[in-house]
Amino acid sequence: MADYDYDLFVIGAGSGGVRASRVAAAHGAKVAVAEEHRVGGTCVIRGCVPKKMLVYGAHFAEDVMDAARFGWHIKECKFDWPVLRDNVAADVTRIEGLYTQTLENNKVEIFHERATVSGPNEVTLASGRTISAGKILIATGAWPAIPPVEGREHGITSNEVFGLDKLPERIVIAGGGYIANEFAGIFHEFGSKVTLVNRSDKILRHYDTQIRDRLLQISTMKGIEFLFHNEFTKVEKVDGKLRIHMSSHDPIEADILLFAIGRVPHTKGLGLESAGVEIDKNGAVVVDDVNRTTCPSIFAVGDVTNRVQLTPVAIREGQAFADTFFGNKPTKVDYSCIPSAVFSHPPLAGVGLTESQARNTLGSVKIFTSDFRPMKNVLAGRNERALYKLVVNGDTDVVVGVHMIGPDAPEILQAAAIAVKAKLKKSQFDEVVALHPSMAEELVLMK
């Protein structure tokens, strides 16, 4: 590799790219990374990290409302969007600095500009400089999809939503996935009138049916409006407001239209064709089980491969790539049993097979559920019910799926995912003494 400027050149300093860069460098490789936006990528800069901070901020709306039932009397309650927005932005900048520091501490050179592939072992920077590398890693992530509707330029995406000048009185959110439902909950708690528009009649289609139906029920009860079987036909700006036309509904007006219909691999204009890298019909980089593309010297990890669009998966892929090709430790990522969550209001989470998946693939299935009002909701006079669900292989007694919706569901699910990954049996759940009083104890009390 002495004939190249670098042993490894990474395009994209998001979660996967940063992990691959620093681990490869720690293994002794000479590494450089190019990032055209900000170090940290989608998750840190414009995704899960700032969004979770907004989720925390939104929860205070209900906590303050419930406080009186717990003896707390709050005379004046006012939400100040710029304060939360600016504090979130400041913390994002702090975390970006930590990511940058991590790369620098591992002697990874950072180019703060766009890089494109110009050959099997060559990249070209926006400044015009060409750089050679023994291996090139594509870690450019994914970008919000925008529908080809007239007037789409009047809408925004999750990239821009964190920097709004003021809270919208009325917001229309396009989509039915986790991003759409999370922001629907956030803006509703902040006091906006929220309308969620989806082209089908299902939200969160990858999650267990009972769990997602419970979220729909609770969200509707709170006042979030759902318009199903609708597609946008035109978006107009009239007197400073948006008039949104749909296929099966009268036009509605809003201050903000948020497109949250999914994310597409960020490969456009990267020059991958110059090196013979195959791209699938969705724009994703095609890779094998060791993250190698159809060009032997070029690899890809993270959302740009469109395998599993989750930050922890991108990190695992980056680690596996670096260990395999620079650490003499061949590693492959196990994509089975990946836990995931939706930070809605209330949050939901799941791991393993849903009930429908289990019934389609297993010979015998047993379902155990616990449908209850969390103690906090009871005292607060809040009627929201939590729902926990175990999916069990009826032939082996192995718990093959855990799904839940309710307060702190993602925090509880992480530990439950270990049990599913370890293929523990329902009888072993039953043998565990309950931790009382807690919501999590319901996992070991289902009969």
Side-chain angles (χ1 to χ4, degrees), residues 53-62 84 185-187 189-190 345:
M53 294 177 188
L54 294 189
V55 169
Y56 284 137
H59 262 297
F60 282 98
E62 293 182 358
L84 177 60
I186 288 169
F187 281 106
E189 297 298 333
F190 288 158
H345 285 73

Side-chain angles (χ1 to χ4, degrees), residues 68-136:
R69 291 279 299 177
F70 290 87
W72 293 93
H73 300 286
I74 302 172
K75 293 182 179 180
E76 183 181 0
C77 182
K78 186 182 76 169
F79 175 63
D80 192 334
W81 162 251
V83 170
L84 177 60
R85 179 199 63 200
D86 295 347
N87 285 340
V88 168
D91 207 53
V92 164
T93 298
R94 178 188 66 84
I95 299 172
E96 179 188 14
L98 294 177
Y99 269 64
T100 301
Q101 186 178 35
T102 295
L103 291 173
E104 292 173 345
N105 288 346
N106 283 277
K107 296 181 171 55
V108 175
E109 187 168 359
I110 305 172
F111 293 95
H112 296 279
E113 56 183 307
R114 180 175 175 80
T116 56
V117 174
S118 47
N121 296 96
E122 184 182 87
V123 298
T124 300
L125 301 179
S127 59
R129 177 182 172 184
T130 59
I131 295 174
S132 62
K135 289 179 173 59
I136 298 170

Side-chain angles (χ1 to χ4, degrees), residues 15 35 63 85 102 106 120 129 254 357-358 381 398:
S15 298
E35 174 55 59
D63 290 343
R85 179 199 63 200
T102 295
N106 283 277
R129 177 182 172 184
Q357 289 171 338
V398 171

